[in-house]
Amino acid sequence: MTHVEFDYERSEHPLDVVERLAFINDWAFDRAEDDEMSISVAGVWAEYHIAFTWIEDVEAVHVACAFDLKVPERRKAELLQLVSLINEQLWVGHFDLWSAQNVVMFRHALLLSGGAEPTRSQCESMLRTALEACERHYQAFQFVLWAGKSAREALESVLFETEGEA
């Protein structure tokens, strides 16, 4: 297969869209470099640290959403089992254990091949998907790490949905 390189001209940097989104929502953000940006968003369970990165080589906007949850070595295997079980349920994105800092994070990417421009709606969707996945599963991670639950027990407890009102 022959590798052909195309040089597409974009009307703006893909992270400019994300920066406007953060500004409109009055979220704390930092864009120290053109290709990297971080946003802090308060959720119900935690403060989420979201990093957006433009990866030129693959023409993708990458999002990584982490929360303050250090993984002790003694619970690492069970937590990895939980990550695997959660990822089986997800249609978009995935959880990882970032081994450098021993931190759990949700990751996803938006491919913009051929010079495609990201829309505000796409960036909002990426952010919403990351936050919803973290909010939905945060307690399962807590149950495994601090309550000593098995991965399956922890996941079942957060997937349980009540109907009606008491």
Side-chain angles (χ1 to χ4, degrees), residues 26-29 38-50 64-69 103-104 131 134-135 138 142:
D26 201 28
W27 291 323
F29 69 92
S38 60
I39 302 173
S40 292
V41 177
V44 172
W45 302 111
E47 178 83 14
Y48 297 103
H49 310 287
I50 305 154
C65 184
F67 41 90
D68 191 22
L69 188 72
V103 172
V104 173
L131 290 171
C134 290
E135 284 282 286
Y138 180 84
Q142 291 286 343

Side-chain angles (χ1 to χ4, degrees), residues 7-25:
D7 189 21
Y8 298 101
E9 194 68 33
R10 296 180 191 280
S11 64
E12 67 178 338
H13 194 287
L15 293 188
D16 291 348
V17 178
V18 178
E19 186 172 342
R20 280 195 302 277
L21 181 62
F23 182 79
I24 289 167
N25 286 287

Side-chain angles (χ1 to χ4, degrees), residues 116-127:
E117 306 268 346
T119 66
R120 177 179 165 182
S121 177
Q122 288 171 314
C123 294
E124 285 174 341
S125 179
M126 283 183 74
L127 185 60

Side-chain angles (χ1 to χ4, degrees), residues 96-160:
D96 277 331
L97 177 61
W98 201 255
S99 57
Q101 286 88 25
N102 240 11
V103 172
V104 173
M105 70 173 52
F106 178 86
R107 298 174 23 161
H108 176 48
L110 172 64
L111 296 177
L112 298 168
S113 303
E117 306 268 346
T119 66
R120 177 179 165 182
S121 177
Q122 288 171 314
C123 294
E124 285 174 341
S125 179
M126 283 183 74
L127 185 60
R128 184 177 49 256
T129 298
L131 290 171
E132 286 175 358
C134 290
E135 284 282 286
R136 179 167 179 92
H137 297 98
Y138 180 84
Q139 286 187 301
F141 291 112
Q142 291 286 343
F143 290 157
V144 165
L145 295 180
W146 308 119
K149 300 276 186 196
S150 73
R152 190 158 307 281
E153 287 174 310
L155 184 59
E156 286 173 0
S157 69
V158 299
L159 294 181
F160 177 76

